[in-house]
Each structure stands twice: as structure tokens, then as C-alpha cells.
Amino acid sequence: MANISFTSCSLVFVIIIAIVFFSKKRIITIENDIFSRMMMLTIFGGILEIFNYFLVVNEGLEQSIIYYISSKIILVYYLSWGILFLYYISAISCKKNYKKLFIWLAVISTLVDVFLPLNYIKDGMMLIPNGPSVYFVYISFLVYIIISLILMLKNLNKNTLKQYLPLLAYIIIGGIATLIEFLNPNLLLMLFIHSIILYLMYFTIENPDVQMLEQVSLAKEAAEKANHAKSDFLSNMSHEIRTPLNAIVGFSESLKEDNIPESAREKVNDIIMASNNLLEIVNGILDISKIEANKLEIINKEYDIKSILDELVALTKARIGDKGLEFRVNIDKSIPRVLYGDNVRLKQIILNILTNAVKYTKEGYIDFTVSTVVKDNICRLIISVEDSGIGIKEESIPKLFSKFERLNVEKQLTIEGTGLGLAITKKLVDLMNGKIIVQSAYGKGSKFTISIDQRIIAVEPQVTKQIAASESKVVDANGARILIVDDNELNIKVATVLLKKYHFNIESCTSGLECLAKIKNNTKYDIIFMDDMMPKMTGRETLKKLKELPDFKIPVIALTANAITGMKQEYLECGFDDYLAKPIEKQELERIIKKYVNKINSKSANSNMYKETKSIFEKEFTIELPILSSEKKKTDNKSYKGKEILVVDDNDLNLKIAEKALEKYEVSITSVNSGSACIEKAIEKKYDLIFLDDRMPELDGCSTLENLNTIDGFDSPVVLMTASTQEGVQDKLDKYHFDGFLPKPFKKEQLEEVLDKLLK
Ligand code: ADP
């Protein structure tokens, strides 16, 4: 029985491997697929060998046709196993799936073997299969092994050796086993060999299990979450740092324009410079983290290259100040004026290089050259900045673009910097598919050359002329009306100070709700500057509500400290007309003013009719404004102490707004949220004034008043509060004899008018 025990043990062994293999979720690869087929085939082969053995031990059956067929099937099993093994070797060697080829090979080999004659040799009680059919199997095996060896030799290196271990084992163990079987044909060792090879394959197969991948994906998710948290943190930090910076820069700028002593002016300049440095650092850190999180996007659009270069020259001149450097500018005159690309990033790249040149050059010159190569509709901008500064050691040049890396530290102890500028510049140049080259002679100077390709939109377009024309206009708002919406009073002050000199008529409010109230009351503004991060109602939410109003056409500009990269785009996508980051940069502010004031002014220039309408508005302003301010003075110390007021509204938020507005007048307020509750209260107590909402479920304002009038001795004045438009309101007031009317939202003055009239 020795022969069958090898086969039985091997069969159990393979079944165990199969159970372990299939019990784990795995990625389906060609190797895995072949391996699982080999296991199934081996199990089938094992069962067949055992069956065959029982045919032999049951005397007489070995002569039968069943034994013949069973022997043939076993031979086909051997052949198929060999083919699958070769298929496996080809899969790990060529990383390609030759499935069809191997199917054909299996079919043809099977057919050949089936038709070849099969003989038997008697060995003791066993009939051992022999003859051409068996030789064909041996020869096929030999060929498969040779092909496998060739494939192995072609692919073999340190990394792949492990994968070929089953093949090497197959050759060695298979060789020995064939020899043993030859000497003792009673021993059936083939299944034993197959099980060992399968066992080896189980461990050598490249088998990333799903669990591991799931862990990797969980880790990735966690990392993404952490990254998100980092971005949020940075965005908040940016906001928090920018808000006080806004006040510092804004006030310093305005202080500079006041009549202050020279010594103070110097200090103010230092404050501005230090604040701008701090701002640059904040921006740099934000940029680099955006780049690292792959969140930095290149936003392409049409732009006027000439105006960008002019601006860069102006900025650099300002930076050079009285440093006494010669600034040579050499810009190719044939440069196409309208290009397509990310102008903001292009400007940032060039400005970084120019700023460094100014920073690291004490005396001598800075040479700024822009040349172009035009091919088809592509313009290659070649920008070079050469300076006669401290230069960079040759060995330091490779470190130049690493973040937080500052070179020549001993030479530049007094020069401020973070070592982020060039790292950002390089990343941006890469993102724009450009190139940057550095040449330097230590102690003599450096030259940075950048090349960036941009699409040409127009060589000499109208747009540019318009831009140029508009730029030359003197900015004066002629009393155009501006509303600043910001929850931070200090920010309002800064913006007011900065905008004042452009002769704007400035109003402000500290919440989205107030802004909505103003607009709903038909107050006309030419521009609204809107902060975003405000409690209760953010700038975005306010804008959404504003846009829902019929005929709302006022340009709304996001004025926000939320200034990380990409924010501008986000705000524009939200529907804001433009974007201004805090701290407010004078240049940016002027750009916006030019853009929107010019719009207003050009409208007025184009049509006399508009001019007239505008002058009417101006009259309105002059009539309204003094009244407002004088009213304000009066109301500051107004008090209706001891007066009892009942406010009725089904909307809790409206109740809160009314309570808040009334609080200042030291009245005692009772709020209820339905008509029936109002009637109950009125029966209990006599109120000095009742504010009654118009639209409420069950009992509306008018029906409630009807009911109130039926109460014995009821004579409290009742004011109708309604959010509906003026239409039909007068009818209601007359029909139901309300004592007054208050629109929702109401202005302070309107409320005071009612209180004055009805409480005195
Ligand atoms: P930062 O200027 O904030 O230190 P950068 O990334 O812009 O950071 O520059 C990295 C370093 O490269 C600088 O610290 C300086 O040593 C060197 N460097 C950059 N530009 C120049 C230049 N034009 N001349 C000499 N050294 C330069």
C-alpha cells in the first residue's frame, strides 16, 4: 500500500493549501488565477490516482476499459499540469497573459495523447502504463522544462530569483522522483511532487492580499484626513494672522499720508516693511503646503503680459528704493501682448527672482531681460535676472531649490528670508512645464534664467488698449456709494481709511443680515465689499441671499483674510465679482476701484441720462446722510425705560432680531410666537405697544388685531410688521386700523420713528 499513501497524504496536503488560499480575499492576478487552477487540477488528479489504484487492487478490473480510460485521463492530467506550470512561468516572466496559446497547447496535446497507443508492463501485481502515450507525456514535460528554463534565464536577477524557486525545485525533485519511479514503478510519486511545488508556489507567488491593501487604503485615508486638517488649520491660521495684519498695514498706510513728523514717518515705513515681510512668510508657508498637498492649481486665462512686466518693474524699483542699484530693464518689443496662461503664478515666479536679486545685491546692477521665441501660436518667454550680488557657491547650487534651505548664511545674516521662495518658484515653474537655470560666480553675482511657454492669443489686441486706456484714468469715485460688510469693526475702520481718499461715500454694517436689510430697503450702492467669515451668516450665504433678490445687480467683492492659494478662484466661482485679500494691498485695491469705478464712470460718460440719474442719487445722498448722522446722535441716549412691549412673530429668528433692536431702548420686552398667545398676553396685561407679525399660521396679524379689539378696555397701539413689499400694506393698515407699520428687516431709524410716535 506504500504507493497510495504518498498520493493520499499529498491530496490532503493540497486540499489544506487550497482551503487556506481560498479563505483569504485576494487580488485577482494571472499568477493567482493559474495557481488556483493548478490546485483544483491537483486535487482532481489525486482523486483519480486513488480511483485508479482501487481499480488495480480489485482483481480483473485492471484489464477493463475503465482502467484504460482512467489511465489515459491520468496522462492527460500530467500533461495539463505541465502546461499550467509553463503558463505560470510565462506569466511571471513576460507579465503577459498568453491564455489562448496555452488553451490550444492543452487541447492539441490532449488529442495527440488520446490517440497514441497505450501499453502496460506487468510489475508484480501492478499493471504499469507504458508505450508511446506515456513517452509523449515525458517528452512534453522535458520540452516544457526547457522552455521554462530559457524564460527563467532571460529574466533572472536578484529580485526574481525567489519567483523561480518552484521551477528549480520541480527540476531537482522531479528528476529524483522520476528516477525513483523508474527503479520502483509501484511508487506513485507524481502527486507528491505536485503538492510540494504548489506549496512552494504558495509562498513565492507575488500575492498582495486584499487585507493589506485595505490597510494601505485606510492609512491613505487617514493621511488624507490629516492633510485636510492641516489645510483647514492653515486656512484658519491665515485668516487669524491676516486679520490683525490688515489693521497694521492699513493704518500704517493711512498714517503715512497724514501730516506726521519725519521720524515718525520712518517708523511707519519700518512697520509697513515688517508687516509685508510677515505677510510674505505667511503666503510662502501656505503656498508650499498647498504644493505639497498637490492642491496648487495652475489657472490659465488670457492676460496682458506687458502690464504684468510693467508692474514687476515698478515693484522692483520700489523694492530697490534708495539702495543705489542700477536697474537695467530690457524687454523684447515684439512680445505678443495677450498670452494664455497663469498670469498670477508667472508674476509670482518672476517677482521671487527679482526680489532675491535685490535682497542679495548690495551694490552694482540688476539686469532684467525678457526675450521671446515665437513658434506657431506658442510664445516662449525667456526671462533672465542677473545681479552683481553675493553670488552662490557652486556646491550650494543643487541645494538652492530645497525648501527652508538658506545658503551663504554667514554672508546674509542681516537679510531676511525663509528659504521658501526658490522652492516655490521651482515647483511653480515645473507645474507650468518650464525650466529654470542658475549660473553664479561666488562673490561676483548670479544669473537666474527661466523659460516658460505660453499660448499666444493676440499680438496686438484691443483688450490691451482698453486696459491701457483705463489704467491712465485718474481714480475718483465721485461720491459713489460703497457698503462694507465685516463683523470686525477694526477691519471696517481700516477699509474706510483706505477708501476715503478715493472720495467714496462709505457705509458699513457688521453682519450679513444687516447688509440684506439695507439692500431690501432699496438703499443703492455701487459696490459692496463683503467679508466671508462672519458669525451667523457668512459672506457667501449673504451673497446667495442677495442674488435671490429681484434686480440685484451691485458688484460684490469678497474682502477676506481667507487668502490661501486658490481662494480667489473659489470666491469667483461662488458668484463674487472680484476678490481682495486682507491685508489690503494698495495696488490690488486700486485695481478693483479702477475696474468698478471706471465702470460706473464710463456709464456716466456714455449717457447723459445716467448722469442725471446719478446726480439725483447724489442729491439723495446729501439729503439722507446728514439726517442719518444727526438722528444717530439723538438715538444714542434714547430711552423708553419702563415701557412694556409685546412682540409677536412665529419666527424665532425674527423675534430675536426685534428683541435685540429694542433692547437698547431699555424697554421691557415680552415675545410670543402666535396670535392666540398674543391675545392671552393682552388679556393678562396692558402693553404700551404691540408689534404684530403679518403672516402667521392659524391667526395672522390682521385676525389677531380683530380679536384684540374685542377685549374689554383694549387700547394698546398695534404696529404691523411685515416682510412683504409695500404693495397692499397701506390697505391693510387702513382696513384694520393698525397704529403703525414696520417693514422686515427694518432700519433703526424706522423703528425709532415708530417708538417716538407711539410711546411718547
Ligand atoms: P530666501 O531668500 O527667503 O532665503 P530663497 O528660496 O528665495 O529663500 O533663496 C534660497 C537661498 O538662495 C537664499 O537664502 C540665498 O542664499 C540664495 N539666493 C537666492 N537668490 C540669490 C541671489 N540672487 N544671489 C545670491 N544668493 C541667492
Side-chain angles (χ1 to χ4, degrees):
M1 293 290 278
N3 46 12
I4 197 69
S5 48
F6 268 116
T7 305
S8 326
C9 289
S10 307
L11 181 63
V12 172
F13 189 54
V14 176
I15 290 173
I16 292 170
I17 298 176
I19 291 171
V20 174
F21 183 81
F22 287 115
S23 65
K24 272 189 177 182
K25 273 201 280 177
R26 274 162 209 282
I27 302 292
I28 298 170
T29 58
I30 316 172
E31 291 99 309
N32 270 337
D33 186 42
I34 303 171
F35 180 64
S36 52
R37 283 166 203 271
M38 286 173 81
M39 276 190 302
M40 300 318 290
L41 185 70
T42 313
I43 293 169
F44 170 73
I47 296 168
L48 207 66
E49 272 197 1
I50 294 169
F51 174 73
N52 214 21
Y53 175 78
F54 281 110
L55 288 181
V56 174
V57 291
N58 285 315
E59 219 172 305
L61 274 182
E62 78 268 25
Q63 304 285 359
S64 68
I65 183 79
I66 302 174
Y67 185 65
Y68 180 84
I69 294 170
S70 162
S71 305
K72 274 278 183 193
I73 297 176
I74 286 181
L75 288 173
V76 171
Y77 156 73
Y78 289 152
L79 269 176
S80 309
W81 207 96
I83 292 168
L84 272 178
F85 190 66
L86 178 63
Y87 182 20
Y88 173 78
I89 298 292
S90 90
I92 59 171
S93 306
C94 312
K95 299 283 171 210
K96 268 192 186 162
N97 194 352
Y98 293 112
K99 194 171 178 176
K100 272 191 187 155
L101 177 77
F102 285 97
I103 290 175
W104 276 113
L105 184 62
V107 171
I108 293 167
S109 309
T110 307
L111 286 175
V112 172
D113 195 64
V114 166
F115 289 109
L116 283 173
L118 176 68
N119 311 323
Y120 295 97
I121 333 168
K122 186 116 183 131
D123 183 21
M125 66 175 284
M126 285 286 287
L127 268 184
I128 309 294
N130 205 312
S133 182
V134 176
Y135 302 144
F136 176 71
V137 173
Y138 279 114
I139 293 166
S140 303
F141 253 78
L142 201 65
V143 174
Y144 300 157
I145 294 293
I146 292 169
I147 299 173
S148 301
L149 271 173
I150 295 170
L151 287 173
M152 181 187 90
L153 291 173
K154 268 189 153 180
N155 266 286
L156 196 64
N157 60 42
K158 245 194 203 164
N159 300 329
T160 53
L161 182 67
K162 186 182 148 208
Q163 283 181 296
Y164 290 105
L165 279 181
L167 174 63
L168 298 174
Y170 197 17
I171 295 169
I172 299 166
I173 306 173
I176 299 171
T178 314
L179 201 70
I180 297 174
E181 263 194 1
F182 188 72
L183 297 173
N184 184 359
N186 272 340
L187 279 177
L188 293 176
L189 290 175
M190 207 47 105
L191 205 86
F192 170 67
I193 300 163
H194 288 171
S195 64
I196 289 179
I197 303 303
L198 284 177
Y199 182 68
L200 283 175
M201 280 168 78
Y202 180 82
F203 289 103
T204 56
I205 208 163
E206 267 180 13
N207 220 345
D209 66 30
V210 169
Q211 220 174 340
M212 199 174 82
L213 284 182
E214 272 169 5
Q215 273 174 3
V216 171
S217 98
L218 278 179
K220 193 173 156 237
E221 224 171 80
E224 271 167 7
K225 257 192 198 162
N227 204 5
H228 205 76
K230 188 180 87 174
S231 295
D232 285 350
F233 170 76
L234 283 170
S235 145
N236 287 339
M237 279 299 289
S238 152
H239 186 261
E240 296 310 308
I241 298 172
R242 276 164 187 276
T243 305
L245 258 182
N246 179 36
I248 298 170
V249 177
F251 285 126
S252 313
E253 289 279 1
S254 84
L255 207 60
K256 222 168 73 171
E257 274 148 36
D258 287 352
N259 225 349
I260 52 168
E262 200 47 43
S263 60
R265 188 178 299 277
E266 262 174 39
K267 284 174 193 142
V268 169
N269 278 336
D270 288 345
I271 294 173
I272 294 173
M273 209 174 70
S275 315
N276 285 334
N277 283 342
L278 180 55
L279 191 62
E280 259 174 38
I281 295 170
V282 174
N283 288 344
I285 292 176
L286 289 171
D287 266 352
I288 205 84
S289 32
K290 273 253 158 179
I291 289 172
E292 277 172 9
N294 278 333
K295 281 198 178 154
L296 200 131
E297 286 166 35
I298 294 296
I299 300 159
N300 295 324
K301 60 177 186 190
E302 289 180 24
Y303 66 90
D304 176 14
I305 180 76
K306 175 81 171 49
S307 68
I308 287 188
L309 295 174
D310 287 349
E311 204 180 320
L312 284 166
V313 169
L315 283 171
T316 312
K317 276 186 186 161
R319 196 138 200 157
I320 292 174
D322 48 13
K323 216 174 168 183
L325 295 175
E326 188 189 344
F327 185 38
R328 305 173 194 153
V329 181
N330 189 1
I331 295 172
D332 187 348
K333 295 228 165 26
S334 65
I335 190 165
R337 290 198 62 164
V338 175
L339 299 177
Y340 182 82
D342 191 332
N343 57 333
V344 178
R345 295 302 175 188
L346 180 74
K347 199 170 126 188
Q348 190 179 353
I349 292 169
I350 307 174
L351 192 62
N352 262 336
I353 306 291
L354 282 169
T355 309
N356 274 352
V358 180
K359 269 190 346 192
Y360 299 107
T361 309
K362 257 196 199 144
E363 53 191 24
Y365 66 91
I366 292 169
D367 199 312
F368 177 40
T369 308
V370 181
S371 52
T372 50
V373 180
V374 174
K375 198 179 169 213
D376 303 329
N377 63 344
I378 302 288
C379 169
R380 173 159 295 174
L381 294 170
I382 303 166
I383 303 134
S384 74
V385 177
E386 191 184 323
D387 63 53
S388 58
I390 58 173
I392 305 157
K393 286 183 190 151
E394 209 181 324
E395 65 270 21
S396 302
I397 290 182
K399 286 192 261 171
L400 211 55
F401 300 114
S402 321
K403 58 180 191 283
F404 302 111
E405 194 81 58
R406 303 200 72 208
L407 319 167
N408 307 333
V409 178
E410 67 287 355
K411 273 202 178 190
Q412 56 189 52
L413 279 178
T414 53
I415 304 171
E416 289 183 44
T418 52
L420 280 176
L422 283 179
I424 295 167
T425 304
K426 170 85 169 85
K427 296 253 162 126
L428 290 176
V429 170
D430 287 347
L431 276 173
M432 293 174 83
N433 299 319
K435 281 210 172 80
I436 181 163
I437 298 166
V438 188
Q439 295 156 293
S440 187
Y442 187 56
K444 287 188 180 155
S446 323
K447 184 174 177 181
F448 285 77
T449 309
I450 295 161
S451 91
I452 288 175
D453 290 351
Q454 302 277 271
R455 271 218 336 255
I456 301 170
I457 298 296
V459 178
E460 191 63 48
Q462 256 193 337
V463 188
T464 327
K465 283 178 189 152
Q466 274 171 9
I467 293 168
S470 70
E471 269 171 2
S472 63
K473 270 191 186 143
V474 181
V475 187
D476 193 326
N478 276 335
R481 218 170 177 194
I482 278 198
L483 177 65
I484 304 167
V485 190
D486 200 317
D487 60 312
N488 185 320
E489 302 268 1
L490 198 63
N491 282 340
I492 293 183
K493 267 191 186 172
V494 176
T496 310
V497 163
L498 290 176
L499 288 167
K500 231 184 202 165
K501 62 178 180 215
Y502 301 101
H503 307 119
F504 274 108
N505 210 329
I506 303 161
E507 260 189 55
S508 63
C509 61
T510 52
S511 73
L513 277 175
E514 271 182 73
C515 164
L516 277 170
K518 279 177 187 284
I519 303 299
K520 278 187 190 164
N521 273 325
N522 277 332
T523 321
K524 297 274 181 283
Y525 297 101
D526 296 304
I527 307 173
I528 298 176
F529 283 101
M530 175 94 67
D531 180 30
D532 184 24
M533 293 195 197
M534 294 187 285
K536 289 191 199 150
M537 192 186 264
T538 64
R540 293 176 210 222
E541 285 163 354
T542 314
L543 176 72
K544 210 173 147 210
K545 289 252 177 327
L546 284 173
K547 296 228 156 165
E548 281 166 10
L549 299 176
D551 295 333
F552 178 79
K553 283 195 189 99
I554 307 169
V556 183
I557 289 141
L559 175 63
T560 164
N562 193 357
I564 56 174
T565 319
M567 261 357 255
K568 180 171 181 172
Q569 194 62 19
E570 218 176 293
Y571 281 113
L572 295 184
E573 274 163 18
C574 271
F576 284 94
D577 294 270
D578 218 312
Y579 167 92
L580 194 57
K582 287 184 216 165
I584 302 169
E585 272 180 30
K586 203 174 151 196
Q587 264 177 333
E588 263 298 280
L589 174 63
E590 286 193 353
R591 177 189 68 80
I592 288 195
I593 294 172
K594 273 178 197 169
K595 191 169 163 191
Y596 295 95
V597 173
N598 278 344
K599 243 189 213 171
I600 302 162
N601 288 345
S602 63
K603 267 191 220 156
S604 59
N606 288 344
S607 98
N608 287 335
M609 210 185 72
Y610 182 77
K611 221 176 194 175
E612 270 174 37
T613 330
K614 194 166 179 271
S615 61
I616 293 168
F617 278 147
E618 276 171 7
K619 262 184 214 152
E620 263 182 20
F621 293 150
T622 43
I623 296 161
E624 201 180 294
L625 283 173
I627 292 171
L628 261 177
S629 48
S630 57
E631 283 273 315
K632 205 175 164 209
K633 267 179 212 149
K634 262 195 268 163
T635 57
D636 280 346
N637 34 19
K638 219 169 229 180
S639 163
Y640 296 101
K641 212 171 187 170
K643 299 283 182 194
E644 298 269 358
I645 293 184
L646 177 62
V647 186
V648 190
D649 199 312
D650 62 318
N651 183 313
D652 285 347
L653 194 69
N654 285 341
L655 280 180
K656 270 192 193 151
I657 295 169
E659 281 170 21
K660 197 105 194 117
L662 286 166
E663 246 169 30
K664 302 181 205 124
Y665 306 100
E666 299 176 283
V667 290
S668 138
I669 309 157
T670 310
S671 322
V672 290
N673 56 14
S674 70
S676 44
C678 164
I679 296 162
E680 275 173 32
K681 289 277 173 196
I683 294 171
E684 275 171 26
K685 191 161 138 190
K686 184 175 164 6
Y687 287 92
D688 295 303
L689 182 58
I690 299 176
F691 285 102
L692 198 49
D693 179 29
D694 183 14
R695 282 195 199 169
M696 291 184 290
E698 294 166 33
L699 273 185
D700 65 11
C702 300
S703 315
T704 308
L705 179 59
E706 275 181 334
N707 279 294
L708 286 172
N709 284 330
T710 61
I711 300 170
D712 265 355
F714 178 84
D715 61 354
S716 306
V718 180
V719 173
L720 181 70
M721 287 195 300
T722 172
S724 39
T725 49
Q726 302 275 346
E727 266 169 51
V729 171
Q730 195 55 48
D731 289 349
K732 270 187 195 168
L733 297 179
D734 295 343
K735 188 175 167 195
Y736 295 93
H737 306 291
F738 279 97
D739 299 279
F741 159 74
L742 199 59
K744 278 195 294 189
F746 52 81
K747 277 183 176 176
K748 195 174 158 195
E749 305 80 56
Q750 288 166 318
L751 174 65
E752 283 181 359
E753 199 182 308
V754 169
L755 295 178
D756 269 353
K757 190 175 136 200
L758 300 172
L759 287 182
K760 273 191 173 157

